[in-house]
Amino acid sequence: MIRGPAQFMPREKGAAPLDVMIGIMAFLAALALGASLLADRASLDWRAGLSDRLTVQILVPSHGDAASELVRETGAALGVLRATPGIAHAQPLSEAEMRGLVEPWLGKGSLVAELPLPNLIDAEVIPGAPVDLAALAARLKDVAPDSQLDDHSRWLARLKGLADTITWTAYAILILIAVATAASVTFATRAGLAAHHEMVSLLHQMGARAGFIARAFEQHFALSTFAASALGATLAALLFLTAGGLEVFGVEAVPFLPPIALKFGEVAWFTAVPVAAALIAWLTARISVLAVVRKIY
Amino acid sequence: MVRFENVGMRYGAGPEVLRDVTFALDAGSFTFLTGLSGAGKTTLLKLIYVAEPPSRGLITLFGNDMATTRRRDFPAIRRRIGVVFQDFRLLEHLSAFDNVALPLRLAGRNEGNYEHDVEELLSWVGLGDRMHAKPATLSGGEQQRIAIARAVVARPDLLIADEPTGNVDAEIGGRLIRLFAELNRLGTTVLIATHDRALIESTKAREMRLVGGRLVELRTAGRP
């Protein structure tokens, strides 16, 4: 027994090609959404990790006794940093920590042991405290001519640029996929109208309003699009969760880059993909059907 | 109820299929429309059930001048007309029950209050045991009876039937005509297009004949 307008539509047997295509597009949309979420989070993490930190690098002096001069300049720079208002604390990196930093690029060989490495001092700024970096760099130069103050602003700006590029690229992909979904549903609705022309014409002849006929199509396409895109988005969510699970076991996807694992709260955003796809399908089906039905006398 | 004044109809740039057709169907009347194949019977019926606009002339339905009536009011007018199409036009994916219930669904009635009416009507046309069958599994005669049941189930003000007894035997044909006559007694205006002389002669109803696109009044008597 028929209960709603959607049930006037004949049931298709098996997955229609449109459903398969919408499922794939939803999968790609969810991947793009996941990429934008990852880029946003990575950018925030990087900035949070570096924005209140300063690094002072003391290069190996080329004059006098390099080793003792390096130790003297490091001590002098530490003194300046610790005396500067707004600096919470300053700590030189140990030799082991220094070796650990270059190890991923140069390995553990004797070459590394013999390399003249600069000294690094890690300083933390009290959040919100105004520190005149130019004046601090000048004072450091006075006591340690081989020092270089790095507030990471260049690096942060480039990271932010990269994260913003990834985010906006993901948004662009989402928009392209939304347009492709709308175009596909419009095409499928018109094909459906042609295939079910007799049904549309009969309902119209029997006094069905254009809105009633449109509801039959829009409900049919919204429901099938929701089901297909929910499947695609679920597959993408599983992919991200699996990647997260592998990283727990130490499998690193891309060295030096943030993990591609999404948190459960972030994966929840994926539910927006089938909802948005169903809305697009509903709207395009309605517009297409009303345009066609209103042309019939 | 229905009034045509100097109505003409042509498809595209073709010749006129109907010429200066003028007639009226009074409320509660019973009329046969006859004529040879190609005389324009189906076209005339289409103009009455608001499937096509006329090329010229004035059509008035239920007091509405169709030339000035807003398109948004057409569905309400169409719902007052029950049509038995010559080719039945059943929805193949719906059961006999759902096909017959269509006009009631479109009128906004819910299944709880029409289920009994639909079952009773299907039993009346001899299809009480086939109500869940799909049209493709039914014979031509059975499909025709479903089409008739669908046209009358909502007790329309005007019933139009195009060759409604063309695919049924004499006994079923007689039964269907009694159904139309019963509806007519209850106030429905009936217009039947047919070639069946025996059917026409069995009643005293009015007969209009289309000859070369023009309407000729043959018999002006009232009800069957």
Side-chain angles (χ1 to χ4, degrees):
Chain A
M1 194 174 286
I2 46 177
R3 286 184 174 79
Q7 286 164 300
F8 285 109
M9 292 287 290
R11 292 199 181 283
E12 309 287 349
K13 291 192 175 75
L18 178 71
D19 294 338
V20 174
M21 192 169 72
I22 284 174
I24 292 170
M25 286 196 296
F27 177 76
L28 296 174
L31 286 187
L33 182 62
S36 74
L37 288 170
L38 280 174
D40 265 351
R41 177 148 55 85
S43 172
L44 280 175
D45 288 351
W46 287 330
R47 274 178 279 171
L50 292 175
S51 59
D52 293 329
R53 303 197 88 87
L54 299 174
T55 301
V56 178
Q57 185 176 201
I58 316 288
L59 299 173
V60 179
S62 53
H63 53 89
D65 178 4
S68 59
E69 199 52 25
L70 185 63
V71 172
R72 189 200 64 76
E73 285 195 26
T74 304
L78 259 177
V80 169
L81 285 170
R82 285 171 179 163
T84 302
I87 302 285
H89 63 81
Q91 188 68 37
L93 267 64
S94 68
E95 195 176 329
E97 286 172 315
M98 288 294 300
R99 305 262 171 230
L101 284 176
V102 295
E103 206 176 271
W105 283 274
L106 303 176
K108 286 182 175 176
S110 56
L111 176 70
V112 179
E114 290 165 13
L115 266 180
L117 293 176
N119 273 353
L120 292 179
I121 301 170
D122 179 31
E124 190 176 342
V125 179
I126 296 167
V131 177
D132 184 343
L133 294 174
L136 177 60
R139 286 204 304 281
L140 285 169
K141 279 282 182 196
D142 284 346
V143 297
D146 297 298
S147 67
Q148 287 180 348
L149 175 66
D150 183 6
D151 64 350
H152 311 291
S153 56
R154 266 186 62 210
W155 171 236
L156 275 175
R158 293 183 70 176
L159 277 182
K160 187 179 180 310
L162 174 68
D164 286 351
T165 305
I166 293 172
T167 305
W168 285 108
T169 306
Y171 288 156
I173 291 170
L174 281 173
I175 290 168
L176 285 176
I177 289 172
V179 171
T181 306
S184 309
V185 173
T186 306
F187 180 75
T189 308
R190 288 189 180 155
L193 273 170
H196 303 304
H197 175 75
E198 176 55 28
M199 185 189 85
V200 171
S201 147
L202 180 71
L203 289 175
H204 177 74
Q205 187 55 64
M206 292 174 78
R209 293 195 177 277
F212 182 93
I213 299 169
R215 275 202 297 283
F217 279 84
E218 75 202 22
Q219 285 179 13
H220 173 84
F221 281 107
L223 289 174
S224 60
T225 299
F226 183 83
S229 54
L231 186 64
T234 303
L235 286 176
L238 285 175
L239 189 72
F240 278 108
L241 291 174
T242 306
L246 288 175
E247 281 174 358
V248 168
F249 293 107
V251 180
E252 201 177 15
V254 186
F256 313 123
L257 284 184
I260 60 167
L262 285 175
K263 295 170 184 167
F264 274 105
E266 290 169 327
V267 172
W269 278 102
F270 284 23
T271 55
V273 172
V275 172
L279 273 174
I280 291 170
W282 176 82
L283 194 63
T284 50
R286 182 168 184 81
I287 291 168
S288 307
V289 174
L290 288 180
V292 170
V293 171
R294 283 179 179 151
K295 281 184 191 159
I296 306 174
Y297 176 64
Chain B
M1 172 140 310
V2 178
R3 178 171 296 279
F4 274 47
E5 290 174 47
N6 300 312
V7 170
M9 177 67 180
R10 68 170 79 237
Y11 292 101
E16 269 202 328
V17 183
L18 296 175
R19 291 178 205 147
D20 295 319
V21 173
T22 298
F23 71 94
L25 298 178
D26 294 333
S29 62
F30 194 111
T31 309
F32 286 110
L33 176 66
T34 61
L36 297 173
S37 293
K41 296 194 296 294
T42 299
T43 299
L44 178 58
L45 297 186
K46 279 184 176 175
L47 293 180
I48 300 174
Y49 61 70
V50 204
E52 302 274 0
S55 306
R56 62 186 172 89
L58 181 68
I59 297 176
T60 308
L61 292 175
F62 310 112
N64 300 289
D65 174 356
M66 297 307 286
T68 57
T69 299
R70 292 172 306 178
R71 291 282 291 272
R72 73 169 82 150
D73 295 327
F74 281 15
I77 292 171
R78 290 188 178 112
R79 280 202 291 271
R80 296 177 69 181
I81 306 171
V83 185
V84 182
F85 299 98
Q86 193 169 13
D87 54 356
F88 319 143
R89 296 183 67 182
L90 301 176
L91 295 183
E92 294 295 324
H93 60 286
L94 298 184
S95 66
F97 180 96
D98 285 332
N99 266 290
V100 173
L102 259 182
L104 302 173
R105 291 277 309 125
L106 296 180
R109 283 175 60 180
N110 54 45
E111 64 194 59
N113 68 21
Y114 66 64
E115 194 172 354
H116 178 70
D117 293 352
V118 173
E119 286 173 2
E120 192 176 59
L121 187 56
L122 279 166
S123 297
W124 171 257
V125 296
L127 290 170
D129 56 344
R130 304 301 309 274
M131 62 177 72
H132 299 299
K134 297 283 170 66
T137 65
L138 300 172
S139 69
E142 289 172 324
Q143 290 184 32
Q144 190 162 33
R145 280 180 273 162
I146 293 171
I148 289 169
R150 184 182 64 190
V152 304
V153 71
R155 300 222 177 141
D157 294 325
L158 173 63
L159 176 70
I160 296 169
D162 198 354
E163 300 287 356
T165 56
N167 288 283
V168 294
D169 58 35
E171 186 192 334
I172 295 285
R175 200 166 173 176
L176 293 175
I177 284 300
R178 284 201 298 280
L179 175 64
F180 293 151
E182 180 61 26
L183 270 171
N184 181 237
R185 262 190 289 277
L186 291 169
T188 297
T189 306
V190 177
L191 175 66
I192 298 174
T194 184
H195 283 107
D196 189 344
R197 290 307 311 171
L199 180 70
I200 298 163
E201 299 306 332
S202 70
T203 71
K204 294 172 186 169
R206 174 188 181 193
E207 180 184 351
M208 299 188 304
R209 187 173 179 81
L210 270 170
V211 181
R214 290 181 191 278
L215 202 60
V216 181
E217 194 89 20
L218 290 185
R219 191 165 71 185
T220 55
R223 294 184 173 189

